[in-house]
Amino acid sequence: MYKGGYKGKILRVNLSKNEIKIEPLSKELVRNYIGGSGFAAKILYDEVGPEIDPLSPDNELILATGPLTGTLWPTTGRIMFASKSPLTEIGGESHVGGFLGPELKFAGYDMIIVKGKAKSPVYLYIEDDIVELRDAKHLWGSDTHETTKIIQEENGDPEIQVAAIGPAGENLVLYACIIINLARAAGRTGMGAVMGSKNLKAIAVRGTGTVEVADFEKFMELAEEAHERIDKNPQAREMTKYGTPLLVAYKQEIGELPTRNHQTGVFNEWEKLSAETLRENYWVKTRACFGCSIACKKAFKVTEGPYAGTFSEGPEYEGLYAFGTNCGNPDFGSILKANLLCNKYGIDIISAGATIAFMMELYEKGIISREDVEGLNFTWGNHELIVELLPKIAHREGIGNLLAEGTYRIAKKIGKNAEKYAIQVKKLEMSGQDGRTHRSIALGHATAARGADHLRSLITVDQLGYEEIAKQRFGEDKLPEICNPYTEKYKAYATKITEDVYAIRDALIVCWYSCAWPPIFWIEDFAQILPIATGIKEFGSIEELYKIGERQVTLKRAFNVREGIRRKDDTLPERFLKEPMPEGPGRGQVVNLDVMLDEYYELRGWNKETGIPTKEKLKELGLNFVINDFEKRGIL
Amino acid sequence: MPEVKVRLYGIFRDKVGKNEFLVNSENLLDIIFHVASLMGKEGEKLLLNEDKSDINPLVKIVINGEKIVTRNTAEVSLKEGDVIAIFPPVGGG
């Protein structure tokens, strides 16, 4: 059925049985889900039921690529990891750039599915047809940088691409991540802890093949055009120069720079963290992922002060938020150091920063005292504390053992109304946006499949006011309200459309920073390139792609419904619903979530009372296996 | 005429060589032309639209952190003490 784009092979690894099998990539899976996140959603639904504990051997870790991964279309260096999340206990996934995804395709595989638990630490080694589980006892306890280097050295090949966990993954820190190319993180939802629970220290891949496409000449013509569009795009060029830190100044200006555990959207010392300050004082070099002409990654070095000598790629805007503004910390040196430590230990920056900020607010409010936290000083802006806590978290040492559980579980343990200050949705710590001054993200945070997520439906037209883009993507009749950050109107509509398009983006897989932002590629571009890459004519229909996107979103919802998620869980921390934004341009704003939720469920064909997809919608999307499963379990 | 503060970001800061400055003006479009005149051709191309009659719609102007303006700058009048932030195209997140 497909003539290009895919390698046609899935690697199945059972660590308990020390068994490796190759199975063909099913045509049905390709036709209904395209790739990446779509593949993972279907496999997780079929193979990881609600009875399976996320840290048990029966949970599966999926690595999936898409039909464009490793081709010359721009920004196709992505791979995604999926599993049932130990942090959220629902569907978890995290996407990452770098070079691993293309390398896996070059080795001849579209996907890896890992199950079971090895008796002692191992790493999976793949070199084209050679697929082996190798002893990793000597790597256990090493950080991700050491692990990557040792694997490359002992195999005599610096081109081997390594996905590694650090001590945080080994010690089952619930928000442990997986690190690729030393500084690219599959950060969210604790995928590193899943690897750790399986005694799987790393996955190392070397491939010498290619990715063939159905119509090579036409593909090259379109890929060249696509690169040119990036080259000519002014947003892309700003990203090349400054990277995502460019957001700091803008978000301060619009009052959406989350500060001190999201208490406000204004950080008075923001200029110390602005892109211009970073570029002038710390920038060393710019890096790119495979096949990317945007090159948004920035490497910085600190030359003065207590963190002098720290050199690391990053932080992104989210890192500046997590360890900076949200902890009331304007010290860039400490943020770079914290960023580096997270990469080495394999800790998710957003969850770690949010957990520390949460503790700082509990300390401020008198809910915890110094005696409760080993005498440590959780005052806002205490950057020495941030840097000191990260190794403790990674090793679950002392107070780190508590912090390793994330805000939801800490609040449960502490009691005393601490829950009110846990800025999380579905147990996932919130990313650096605020629905009070950017209304669409309120609905995104509340409904996204993996929790308080900014990457599955982030709409920027009401954040940045891009009327032209709003007109093209959502229709002129939705203006001006759709671009107004302080009204709920049309935000559910924009969220639904955007989520479905991003689902296709995550199936191809292409980077956020090519279609979501800068807004260069959209669904019509995918409909153009996909049939040329794969030879599957049906992928040329925009209507069909919307349907596949919707199928993916609904299937992820169905997985979560089976785990017990209902409308009551699609909510936000009280702060966003009841505490008016205290200052800045959005002063006085709160979120009216219910209005958006009602509209969203209606557009999605989900029951408004329960948030469960209706039988009619499931049938329309060809998800009959979900209907059967739901009926058997008494959900429908 | 009211005195307003202009804050520049990204490439505009590089091209003008200043972070911010005060200027007397009662109309936003006049300020845009003023900033354009301070930059070389590349900066001007990025700041203005194709027929050089208004701003490039990808450029964001935020007035007092509240009002986002992406076009029709001639219709925006200014008052004493307004702060006008001019951003190059930025990403979401």
Side-chain angles (χ1 to χ4, degrees):
Chain A
M1 186 186 88
Y2 50 83
K3 294 175 189 149
Y6 303 96
K7 300 306 293 185
K9 283 191 284 185
I10 300 173
L11 267 182
R12 284 255 183 199
V13 179
N14 189 318
L15 295 168
S16 301
K17 295 181 180 167
N18 199 19
E19 188 180 83
I20 294 161
K21 285 182 182 169
I22 293 170
E23 64 181 50
L25 178 67
S26 103
K27 289 172 185 173
E28 195 199 356
L29 194 64
V30 167
R31 179 63 186 82
N32 292 323
Y33 299 96
I34 299 178
S37 205
F39 285 175
K42 177 68 164 74
I43 290 163
L44 276 185
Y45 194 91
D46 287 348
E47 301 180 12
V48 181
E51 66 288 352
I52 293 174
D53 182 279
L55 293 175
S56 72
D58 286 338
N59 194 12
E60 292 183 356
L61 178 73
I62 300 167
L63 285 76
T65 64
L68 294 190
T69 309
T71 67
L72 290 176
W73 180 267
T75 78
T76 54
R78 312 285 289 177
I79 190 165
M80 63 88 62
F81 292 79
S83 189
K84 189 191 282 187
S85 162
L87 179 67
T88 62
E89 299 171 288
I90 55 174
E93 66 175 85
S94 199
H95 293 233
V96 61
F99 297 81
L100 179 71
E103 201 73 23
L104 185 63
K105 294 277 287 281
F106 300 158
Y109 310 96
D110 298 296
M111 241 190 306
I112 305 173
I113 303 168
V114 184
K115 196 178 176 170
K117 180 182 181 178
K119 285 192 184 75
S120 62
V122 293
Y123 77 91
L124 177 64
Y125 181 81
I126 301 166
E127 186 186 338
D128 297 327
D129 294 338
I130 302 166
V131 185
E132 296 170 352
L133 286 167
R134 292 185 176 175
D135 180 37
K137 287 198 276 291
H138 62 303
L139 298 171
W140 207 250
S142 305
D143 69 35
T144 61
H145 288 197
E146 292 159 349
T147 302
T148 302
K149 195 168 168 233
I150 293 169
I151 290 175
Q152 288 171 339
E153 279 177 4
E154 68 189 17
N155 290 288
D157 186 350
E159 300 293 318
I160 291 171
Q161 301 301 321
V162 179
I165 58 165
E170 295 173 11
N171 295 316
L172 311 181
V173 171
L174 294 184
Y175 46 88
C177 70
I178 299 167
I179 295 288
I180 321 281
N181 300 111
L182 310 179
R184 310 287 156 79
R188 308 233 67 196
T189 68
M191 298 293 99
V194 175
M195 269 179 80
S197 75
K198 297 187 172 311
N199 266 334
L200 180 62
K201 178 68 181 172
I203 297 167
V205 184
R206 187 73 173 103
T208 56
T210 56
V211 180
E212 286 174 10
V213 291
D215 181 345
F216 177 75
E217 279 176 19
K218 186 73 186 157
F219 186 91
M220 289 306 290
E221 192 187 307
L222 286 175
E224 206 172 307
E225 267 175 41
H227 280 280
E228 265 176 39
R229 281 165 70 186
I230 289 178
D231 285 343
K232 286 181 185 156
N233 185 286
Q235 289 103 319
R237 295 285 64 93
E238 287 289 305
M239 283 283 278
T240 307
K241 185 164 181 188
Y242 296 104
T244 55
L246 198 58
L247 280 167
V248 170
Y250 188 78
K251 292 184 61 136
Q252 165 73 12
E253 201 69 37
I254 61 171
E256 199 209 0
L257 189 59
T259 297
R260 294 187 298 281
N261 202 32
H262 286 258
Q263 289 188 49
T264 175
V266 173
F267 185 57
N268 292 335
E269 295 180 89
W270 65 275
E271 280 197 281
K272 292 179 182 163
L273 303 177
S274 76
E276 290 84 358
T277 303
L278 268 50
R279 174 92 188 178
E280 203 176 311
N281 299 302
Y282 308 106
W283 175 77
V284 178
K285 63 203 293 187
T286 287
R287 288 172 172 165
C289 297
F290 172 90
C292 181
S293 40
I294 298 175
C296 68
K297 303 295 168 204
K298 307 294 152 219
F300 298 109
K301 188 172 182 180
V302 176
T303 53
E304 288 172 2
Y307 305 101
T310 305
F311 169 75
S312 177
E313 193 178 302
E316 301 287 339
Y317 160 74
E318 290 287 340
L320 294 166
Y321 141 75
F323 292 125
T325 63
N326 208 36
C327 289
N329 172 29
D331 185 291
F332 179 72
S334 67
I335 299 169
L336 190 67
K337 182 75 180 180
N339 190 82
L340 177 63
L341 290 176
C342 281
N343 288 344
K344 283 187 165 184
Y345 291 127
I347 303 173
D348 174 33
I349 285 171
I350 298 177
S351 282
T355 300
I356 295 170
F358 163 66
M359 294 294 283
M360 286 176 164
E361 185 163 10
L362 294 188
Y363 182 69
E364 179 192 56
K365 299 281 189 296
I367 294 170
I368 55 169
S369 65
R370 278 206 181 197
E371 291 76 61
D372 300 322
V373 287
E374 300 172 355
L376 295 169
N377 177 9
F378 275 84
T379 305
W380 295 117
N382 184 356
H383 55 84
E384 284 110 348
L385 174 77
I386 297 170
V387 170
E388 188 184 340
L389 286 174
L390 294 170
K392 287 177 189 280
I393 292 171
H395 294 103
R396 283 185 172 271
E397 186 192 305
I399 185 74
N401 193 38
L402 177 69
L403 299 191
E405 299 286 298
T407 56
Y408 173 83
R409 291 171 178 82
I410 299 172
K412 289 268 174 215
K413 276 183 193 158
I414 289 178
K416 302 179 198 170
N417 207 21
E419 209 170 320
K420 186 177 167 187
Y421 306 105
I423 305 300
Q424 52 80 28
V425 177
K426 300 185 180 81
K427 303 177 195 167
L428 183 73
E429 286 72 24
M430 188 176 281
S431 50
Q433 299 76 33
D434 192 316
R436 289 172 293 185
T437 46
H438 174 189
R439 201 67 96 241
S440 61
I441 196 61
L443 183 63
H445 277 152
T447 57
R450 64 176 187 174
D453 181 11
H454 67 301
L455 295 175
R456 297 299 168 273
S457 69
L458 181 59
I459 295 151
T460 50
V461 298
D462 62 325
Q463 182 189 37
L464 306 166
Y466 288 103
E467 293 184 1
E468 284 305 309
I469 299 295
K471 210 187 289 178
Q472 287 163 23
R473 292 183 174 181
F474 309 117
E476 198 167 359
D477 59 318
K478 308 293 185 304
L479 286 164
E481 292 93 340
I482 205 160
C483 289
N484 181 343
Y486 305 141
T487 172
E488 281 72 21
K489 200 164 184 192
Y490 299 131
K491 300 309 185 299
Y493 177 78
T495 299
K496 197 257 178 198
I497 299 274
T498 306
E499 226 176 358
D500 291 349
V501 176
Y502 287 3
I504 301 300
R505 170 202 71 191
D506 292 343
L508 296 177
I509 310 168
V510 293
C511 184
W512 209 93
Y513 293 120
S514 66
C515 58
W517 200 265
I520 303 172
F521 309 119
W522 199 240
I523 197 158
E524 56 275 11
D525 299 295
F526 305 153
Q528 193 181 26
I529 194 70
L530 263 177
I532 289 159
T534 63
I536 301 168
K537 285 194 187 92
E538 291 86 344
F539 288 167
S541 153
I542 289 174
E543 199 186 335
E544 179 63 15
L545 290 188
Y546 268 121
K547 191 171 178 182
I548 296 173
E550 191 177 6
R551 181 180 296 132
Q552 193 196 115
V553 172
T554 306
L555 183 56
K556 286 182 188 177
R557 177 67 175 190
F559 183 94
N560 288 346
V561 163
R562 201 171 59 177
E563 297 291 332
I565 294 293
R566 298 290 183 271
R567 176 172 176 144
K568 66 176 172 35
D569 304 295
D570 294 338
T571 189
L572 291 171
E574 192 182 294
R575 174 149 289 160
F576 304 94
L577 303 173
K578 291 186 180 166
E579 282 179 32
M581 181 62 90
E583 58 187 322
R587 198 172 132 184
Q589 290 290 326
V590 288
V591 176
N592 184 354
L593 185 62
D594 277 332
V595 173
M596 294 192 285
L597 273 181
D598 282 346
E599 201 184 331
Y600 177 77
Y601 293 136
E602 192 157 325
L603 289 163
R604 280 250 165 263
W606 299 355
N607 182 301
K608 268 195 203 177
E609 304 298 314
T610 61
I612 299 173
T614 59
K615 199 171 176 176
E616 295 69 34
K617 179 52 79 176
L618 290 168
K619 208 170 171 182
E620 180 195 318
L621 295 171
L623 296 172
N624 295 322
F625 60 95
V626 174
I627 299 176
N628 295 339
D629 187 37
F630 275 12
E631 284 178 345
K632 207 168 66 193
R633 293 174 189 274
I635 296 170
L636 267 183
Chain B
M1 275 205 281
E3 187 180 63
V4 300
K5 186 188 275 182
V6 178
R7 279 194 200 146
L8 303 170
Y9 294 94
I11 191 167
F12 303 136
R13 185 177 288 193
D14 294 347
K15 296 285 170 195
V16 175
K18 284 184 203 166
N19 295 359
E20 59 183 42
F21 59 88
L22 294 169
V23 64
N24 290 95
S25 177
E26 53 192 4
N27 182 277
L28 186 56
L29 184 61
D30 291 344
I31 289 184
I32 299 305
F33 286 147
H34 176 62
V35 174
S37 73
L38 299 173
M39 302 193 289
K41 274 192 179 165
E42 194 197 338
E44 189 181 90
K45 202 175 156 194
L46 193 60
L47 183 63
L48 300 179
N49 66 3
E50 275 180 26
D51 59 10
K52 297 189 179 177
S53 62
D54 200 350
I55 53 165
N56 177 341
L58 292 172
V59 170
K60 294 282 135 307
I61 296 180
V62 184
I63 301 176
N64 302 328
E66 261 170 357
K67 188 180 161 88
I68 299 173
V69 182
T70 56
R71 61 195 162 103
N72 299 334
T73 51
E75 292 167 18
V76 180
S77 39
L78 302 170
K79 60 179 191 314
E80 184 74 20
D82 277 347
V83 179
I84 293 139
I86 307 180
F87 290 89
V90 295

